[in-house]
Amino acid sequence: IYADPAKRLELYFRPKDPYCHPVCANRFPTSTMLLKVKRRTKKKKQLDAEEQIQPEVQFEMEILGTVTTVYKFQGRMSDFQYLAMHSGPDGKQTSMYDKVLMLKPEKEEFFNRELPLYIPPPIFSRLDTPIDYFYRPDVQHREGYNNPQVSGENLIGLSRARRPHNAIFVNFGDKEIPAQPLDAAVQTWKKVCTNPVDKKVEEELRKLFEVRPVWSRNAVKANISVHPDKLKLLLPYLAYYMLTGPWRSLWVRFGYDPRKHPEAKIYQVLDFRIRCGMKYGYASNDMPVKAKRSTYNYSLPITVKKPGVHTVSMHDLKQGLGTSSASGAKKPASSRYKLKESIYIFREGALPPYRQMFYQLCDLNVESLQKIIRRNDGTESECTERDGWCLPKTSDDLRDTMSLMIKQIIRSTRPALFSSTTSSEDGKEQLAYESAEDEDDEEEEEEDFKPSDGSENEMETEILDYV
């Protein structure tokens, strides 16, 4: 039995077997009493031969204390196991535990043995209760129907197939860029743009794209107050979306090609992640900045309890979307849906709101960072997919400098974390920086990557809103 008082209790049928899936119990608060009950039985003396002996039962109860926490086993897959077995030609099952599990240091011969193929499961089921899939019935086609040829378009992949959408997506390698929106995008926006507030928002967004041809969605949300569902319809009406390259996840004004304009260097995106680990002086749990989400942070058994999704109808869009809500009534319409500037601007002395941020280079409001960006001003010769108009490794230099600034802020707010660290002779902080690939690995190891109600991860979720 493995018990984590803060989370769950796990009961193993074979505790020493790594391929044994436990049955899990959730932790619940309670207010009950723990009783000690004794049952005593006394036999009466037999007075008559025909009289049956009636045993006398007595119960003794004693209150030992109160119970404040209980664990309830709600899952029904306690027999969900995986055995390291091999089936021989004669059908006989042979155990492979002594061949695949290294319980002690072994010699080279242990690794050079010929063994049957055995592939352990990468992960057990994340559900502890059986569910019904409710598959659709087979489609009955008419006579003469032929199945489509197998291609990449109708194969089941890791991501869902694109739905009909109004946004135009452009890859870095595409030769042409769109000069105007799709007709469907124009018609959709005209349908919902029926009140003066919508027309004012449209004009404000047009002015933003005149001042700056490339914007992130979070930057737009921090500059104008517009409902997110209406912004999904307005952005494809005025701009196209870059999928890859140095302007990935950004919205670009129609007709503007940043690959042909060296001055577009300042609009490139920087994927910045706060580094944490013992070599930086603080662990992920010590971070004053919480992460947004994590694939690995879940409690068993999985019972997703999300609030009911409110379906937005065309009527809702025409009426202004939530103007009568209680929360919206407290704020003026000019700032009801606005985000804070920190959601897209990096300033010296301030921590980012999340551990992973996507900044445009022009929004790094620190002189030392701008010097790194402007190192090749006037001498830009080629726009590459990795570095854009910047010098090679510019992103790495920016991340290193920003990480040092973050560490100094954390040191000033939580000096106890750095009490055991030593300084160099010149008094400057020395950090062992890692490459962008190493950052990806550390990002996956973070534990509390929970959804937030602030901004969405543009690189992963914004595109799904449009496809």
Side-chain angles (χ1 to χ4, degrees), residues 113 123 150 207 216 223 234 238 254 265 283 287 310 350 362 396 422 462 464:
R113 293 182 300 173
I123 188 173
V150 177
K207 292 180 181 178
S216 67
N223 283 272
L234 181 57
L238 300 177
F254 282 119
K265 172 176 65 176
M287 283 290 299
H310 172 65
C362 59
D396 295 338
T422 57
E462 179 180 286
L464 297 181

Side-chain angles (χ1 to χ4, degrees), residues 78-116:
S78 58
D79 57 344
F80 181 53
Q81 309 295 328
Y82 193 94
L83 301 178
M85 308 293 290
H86 173 67
S87 180
D90 55 352
K92 184 179 180 181
Q93 299 291 338
T94 305
S95 175
M96 296 183 61
Y97 285 96
D98 57 341
K99 300 177 182 179
V100 298
L101 295 180
M102 189 174 65
L103 303 178
K104 60 180 180 179
E106 300 286 353
K107 297 182 179 179
E108 185 178 359
E109 292 78 8
F110 179 85
F111 304 96
N112 295 331
R113 293 182 300 173
E114 291 292 335
L115 297 176

Side-chain angles (χ1 to χ4, degrees), residues 137-148:
D138 294 336
V139 179
Q140 300 296 330
H141 296 288
R142 297 179 180 179
E143 294 183 2
Y145 173 83
N146 296 323
N147 291 324

